PDB file of all heavy atoms in Angstrom:
ATOM      1  N   PRO V1097     -14.111  -2.328  27.270  1.00 98.00           N
ATOM      2  CA  PRO V1097     -15.156  -2.848  28.161  1.00 98.00           C
ATOM      3  C   PRO V1097     -16.439  -3.214  27.426  1.00 98.00           C
ATOM      4  O   PRO V1097     -17.247  -3.997  27.924  1.00 98.00           O
ATOM      5  CB  PRO V1097     -15.412  -1.672  29.124  1.00 98.00           C
ATOM      6  CG  PRO V1097     -14.879  -0.458  28.428  1.00 98.00           C
ATOM      7  CD  PRO V1097     -13.799  -0.920  27.501  1.00 98.00           C
ATOM      8  N   PRO V1107      -9.684   6.263   5.112  1.00 98.00           N
ATOM      9  CA  PRO V1107      -8.779   7.174   4.396  1.00 98.00           C
ATOM     10  C   PRO V1107      -8.476   6.689   2.978  1.00 98.00           C
ATOM     11  O   PRO V1107      -8.638   5.509   2.670  1.00 98.00           O
ATOM     12  CB  PRO V1107      -7.514   7.179   5.265  1.00 98.00           C
ATOM     13  CG  PRO V1107      -7.603   5.981   6.135  1.00 98.00           C
ATOM     14  CD  PRO V1107      -9.058   5.649   6.285  1.00 98.00           C
ATOM     15  N   GLY V1108      -8.027   7.612   2.156  1.00 98.00           N
ATOM     16  CA  GLY V1108      -7.834   7.356   0.728  1.00 98.00           C
ATOM     17  C   GLY V1108      -6.888   6.207   0.430  1.00 98.00           C
ATOM     18  O   GLY V1108      -5.964   5.902   1.192  1.00 98.00           O
ATOM     19  N   ASP V1137       3.833   8.132   3.116  1.00 98.00           N
ATOM     20  CA  ASP V1137       4.281   7.543   1.844  1.00 98.00           C
ATOM     21  C   ASP V1137       3.865   8.431   0.670  1.00 98.00           C
ATOM     22  O   ASP V1137       4.655   8.683  -0.244  1.00 98.00           O
ATOM     23  CB  ASP V1137       3.665   6.148   1.654  1.00 98.00           C
ATOM     24  CG  ASP V1137       4.404   5.063   2.424  1.00 98.00           C
ATOM     25  OD1 ASP V1137       5.270   5.406   3.255  1.00 98.00           O
ATOM     26  OD2 ASP V1137       4.106   3.873   2.190  1.00 98.00           O
ATOM     27  N   ASP V1157      -8.320  19.342   3.359  1.00 94.00           N
ATOM     28  CA  ASP V1157      -9.407  18.362   3.336  1.00 94.00           C
ATOM     29  C   ASP V1157      -9.251  17.281   2.272  1.00 94.00           C
ATOM     30  O   ASP V1157     -10.255  16.830   1.710  1.00 94.00           O
ATOM     31  CB  ASP V1157     -10.738  19.090   3.052  1.00 94.00           C
ATOM     32  CG  ASP V1157     -11.587  19.159   4.293  1.00 94.00           C
ATOM     33  OD1 ASP V1157     -11.185  18.549   5.304  1.00 94.00           O
ATOM     34  OD2 ASP V1157     -12.654  19.817   4.236  1.00 94.00           O
ATOM     35  N   ARG V1159      -8.092  17.658  -0.663  1.00 98.00           N
ATOM     36  CA  ARG V1159      -8.207  18.184  -2.037  1.00 98.00           C
ATOM     37  C   ARG V1159      -6.836  18.711  -2.456  1.00 98.00           C
ATOM     38  O   ARG V1159      -6.269  19.576  -1.790  1.00 98.00           O
ATOM     39  CB  ARG V1159      -9.262  19.289  -2.110  1.00 98.00           C
ATOM     40  CG  ARG V1159     -10.682  18.758  -1.935  1.00 98.00           C
ATOM     41  CD  ARG V1159     -11.729  19.848  -1.921  1.00 98.00           C
ATOM     42  NE  ARG V1159     -11.413  20.827  -0.877  1.00 98.00           N
ATOM     43  CZ  ARG V1159     -11.081  22.086  -1.111  1.00 98.00           C
ATOM     44  NH1 ARG V1159     -11.036  22.559  -2.332  1.00 98.00           N
ATOM     45  NH2 ARG V1159     -10.796  22.893  -0.111  1.00 98.00           N
ATOM     46  N   LEU V1188       7.747   2.772  -8.588  1.00 98.00           N
ATOM     47  CA  LEU V1188       7.048   3.438  -9.694  1.00 98.00           C
ATOM     48  C   LEU V1188       7.893   4.591 -10.232  1.00 98.00           C
ATOM     49  O   LEU V1188       7.978   4.816 -11.440  1.00 98.00           O
ATOM     50  CB  LEU V1188       5.667   3.941  -9.251  1.00 98.00           C
ATOM     51  CG  LEU V1188       4.502   2.971  -9.479  1.00 98.00           C
ATOM     52  CD1 LEU V1188       4.712   1.629  -8.839  1.00 98.00           C
ATOM     53  CD2 LEU V1188       3.181   3.578  -9.037  1.00 98.00           C
ATOM     54  N   THR V1203      16.871   7.585  -2.429  1.00 98.00           N
ATOM     55  CA  THR V1203      17.134   6.826  -1.212  1.00 98.00           C
ATOM     56  C   THR V1203      15.823   6.631  -0.450  1.00 98.00           C
ATOM     57  O   THR V1203      14.749   6.975  -0.935  1.00 98.00           O
ATOM     58  CB  THR V1203      18.225   7.523  -0.357  1.00 98.00           C
ATOM     59  OG1 THR V1203      18.627   6.611   0.675  1.00 98.00           O
ATOM     60  CG2 THR V1203      17.720   8.818   0.292  1.00 98.00           C
ATOM     61  N   GLU V1249       9.103  -5.257 -23.746  1.00 98.00           N
ATOM     62  CA  GLU V1249       8.164  -6.393 -23.719  1.00 98.00           C
ATOM     63  C   GLU V1249       8.618  -7.213 -22.547  1.00 98.00           C
ATOM     64  O   GLU V1249       9.755  -7.708 -22.533  1.00 98.00           O
ATOM     65  CB  GLU V1249       8.289  -7.235 -24.990  1.00 98.00           C
ATOM     66  CG  GLU V1249       7.802  -6.530 -26.203  1.00 98.00           C
ATOM     67  CD  GLU V1249       7.028  -7.464 -27.133  1.00 98.00           C
ATOM     68  OE1 GLU V1249       6.829  -8.652 -26.790  1.00 98.00           O
ATOM     69  OE2 GLU V1249       6.618  -6.979 -28.190  1.00 98.00           O
ATOM     70  N   GLN V1258       3.633  -3.293  -8.629  1.00 98.00           N
ATOM     71  CA  GLN V1258       4.662  -2.244  -8.644  1.00 98.00           C
ATOM     72  C   GLN V1258       5.565  -2.409  -9.862  1.00 98.00           C
ATOM     73  O   GLN V1258       5.886  -1.435 -10.548  1.00 98.00           O
ATOM     74  CB  GLN V1258       5.488  -2.291  -7.362  1.00 98.00           C
ATOM     75  CG  GLN V1258       4.695  -1.888  -6.132  1.00 98.00           C
ATOM     76  CD  GLN V1258       5.517  -1.979  -4.856  1.00 98.00           C
ATOM     77  OE1 GLN V1258       6.682  -2.366  -4.881  1.00 98.00           O
ATOM     78  NE2 GLN V1258       4.902  -1.639  -3.745  1.00 98.00           N
ATOM     79  N   ALA V1301      -7.148 -10.582 -21.568  1.00 97.00           N
ATOM     80  CA  ALA V1301      -7.101 -11.701 -20.614  1.00 97.00           C
ATOM     81  C   ALA V1301      -6.195 -12.790 -21.178  1.00 97.00           C
ATOM     82  O   ALA V1301      -6.167 -13.022 -22.385  1.00 97.00           O
ATOM     83  CB  ALA V1301      -8.502 -12.246 -20.397  1.00 97.00           C
ATOM     84  N   GLY V1305      -3.919 -14.630 -15.956  1.00 96.00           N
ATOM     85  CA  GLY V1305      -3.305 -13.300 -15.928  1.00 96.00           C
ATOM     86  C   GLY V1305      -3.801 -12.397 -17.042  1.00 96.00           C
ATOM     87  O   GLY V1305      -4.917 -12.556 -17.542  1.00 96.00           O
ATOM     88  N   GLY V1318      -4.634  16.326 -17.955  1.00 98.00           N
ATOM     89  CA  GLY V1318      -5.017  16.433 -16.549  1.00 98.00           C
ATOM     90  C   GLY V1318      -6.473  16.010 -16.361  1.00 98.00           C
ATOM     91  O   GLY V1318      -7.306  16.266 -17.226  1.00 98.00           O
ATOM     92  N   LEU V1338     -14.797  -7.554  14.082  1.00 98.00           N
ATOM     93  CA  LEU V1338     -15.071  -8.999  14.068  1.00 98.00           C
ATOM     94  C   LEU V1338     -14.656  -9.661  15.377  1.00 98.00           C
ATOM     95  O   LEU V1338     -15.267 -10.635  15.816  1.00 98.00           O
ATOM     96  CB  LEU V1338     -14.310  -9.674  12.918  1.00 98.00           C
ATOM     97  CG  LEU V1338     -14.783  -9.366  11.497  1.00 98.00           C
ATOM     98  CD1 LEU V1338     -13.853 -10.034  10.484  1.00 98.00           C
ATOM     99  CD2 LEU V1338     -16.221  -9.846  11.289  1.00 98.00           C
ATOM    100  N   LEU V1359      -9.368 -10.420   0.844  1.00 99.00           N
ATOM    101  CA  LEU V1359      -9.660 -10.565   2.280  1.00 99.00           C
ATOM    102  C   LEU V1359     -11.156 -10.785   2.499  1.00 99.00           C
ATOM    103  O   LEU V1359     -11.554 -11.633   3.316  1.00 99.00           O
ATOM    104  CB  LEU V1359      -9.202  -9.320   3.063  1.00 99.00           C
ATOM    105  CG  LEU V1359      -9.540  -9.373   4.556  1.00 99.00           C
ATOM    106  CD1 LEU V1359      -8.701 -10.417   5.276  1.00 99.00           C
ATOM    107  CD2 LEU V1359      -9.354  -8.010   5.217  1.00 99.00           C
ATOM    108  N   GLY V1380     -14.005   6.058 -10.933  1.00 84.00           N
ATOM    109  CA  GLY V1380     -13.792   4.934 -11.848  1.00 84.00           C
ATOM    110  C   GLY V1380     -13.596   3.596 -11.147  1.00 84.00           C
ATOM    111  O   GLY V1380     -13.341   2.589 -11.801  1.00 84.00           O
ATOM    112  N   VAL V1434       9.613  -9.678   1.523  1.00 98.00           N
ATOM    113  CA  VAL V1434      10.285  -8.467   1.013  1.00 98.00           C
ATOM    114  C   VAL V1434       9.364  -7.247   1.072  1.00 98.00           C
ATOM    115  O   VAL V1434       9.470  -6.337   0.265  1.00 98.00           O
ATOM    116  CB  VAL V1434      10.832  -8.678  -0.422  1.00 98.00           C
ATOM    117  CG1 VAL V1434      12.001  -9.647  -0.405  1.00 98.00           C
ATOM    118  CG2 VAL V1434       9.742  -9.168  -1.375  1.00 98.00           C
ATOM    119  N   PRO V1470      -7.076 -15.220  22.517  1.00 98.00           N
ATOM    120  CA  PRO V1470      -5.725 -15.649  22.898  1.00 98.00           C
ATOM    121  C   PRO V1470      -5.249 -14.865  24.124  1.00 98.00           C
ATOM    122  O   PRO V1470      -5.850 -13.846  24.493  1.00 98.00           O
ATOM    123  CB  PRO V1470      -4.878 -15.295  21.676  1.00 98.00           C
ATOM    124  CG  PRO V1470      -5.840 -15.002  20.569  1.00 98.00           C
ATOM    125  CD  PRO V1470      -7.110 -14.551  21.213  1.00 98.00           C
ATOM    126  N   MET V1480       9.579  -1.261  11.679  1.00 98.00           N
ATOM    127  CA  MET V1480       9.286  -0.145  10.765  1.00 98.00           C
ATOM    128  C   MET V1480       8.149  -0.494   9.799  1.00 98.00           C
ATOM    129  O   MET V1480       8.118  -0.007   8.668  1.00 98.00           O
ATOM    130  CB  MET V1480      10.533   0.251   9.955  1.00 98.00           C
ATOM    131  CG  MET V1480      11.730   0.586  10.809  1.00 98.00           C
ATOM    132  SD  MET V1480      13.206   0.945   9.846  1.00 98.00           S
ATOM    133  CE  MET V1480      12.907   2.625   9.345  1.00 98.00           C
ATOM    134  N   GLN V1493      -7.018  -5.744  21.008  1.00 98.00           N
ATOM    135  CA  GLN V1493      -8.422  -5.426  21.313  1.00 98.00           C
ATOM    136  C   GLN V1493      -9.202  -6.681  21.709  1.00 98.00           C
ATOM    137  O   GLN V1493     -10.284  -6.581  22.290  1.00 98.00           O
ATOM    138  CB  GLN V1493      -9.101  -4.759  20.105  1.00 98.00           C
ATOM    139  CG  GLN V1493      -8.562  -3.376  19.798  1.00 98.00           C
ATOM    140  CD  GLN V1493      -8.687  -2.431  20.983  1.00 98.00           C
ATOM    141  OE1 GLN V1493      -9.779  -2.041  21.371  1.00 98.00           O
ATOM    142  NE2 GLN V1493      -7.559  -2.110  21.587  1.00 98.00           N
ATOM    143  N   GLY V1494      -8.633  -7.855  21.347  1.00 98.00           N
ATOM    144  CA  GLY V1494      -9.374  -9.086  21.624  1.00 98.00           C
ATOM    145  C   GLY V1494      -8.717 -10.013  22.624  1.00 98.00           C
ATOM    146  O   GLY V1494      -9.368 -10.921  23.143  1.00 98.00           O
TER     147      GLY V1494
END
Side-chain angles (χ1 to χ4, degrees):
D1137 279 10
D1157 253 354
R1159 290 177 304 114
L1188 268 56
T1203 191
E1249 291 220 3
Q1258 292 178 359
L1338 290 176
L1359 177 70
V1434 291
M1480 305 176 80
Q1493 292 303 291

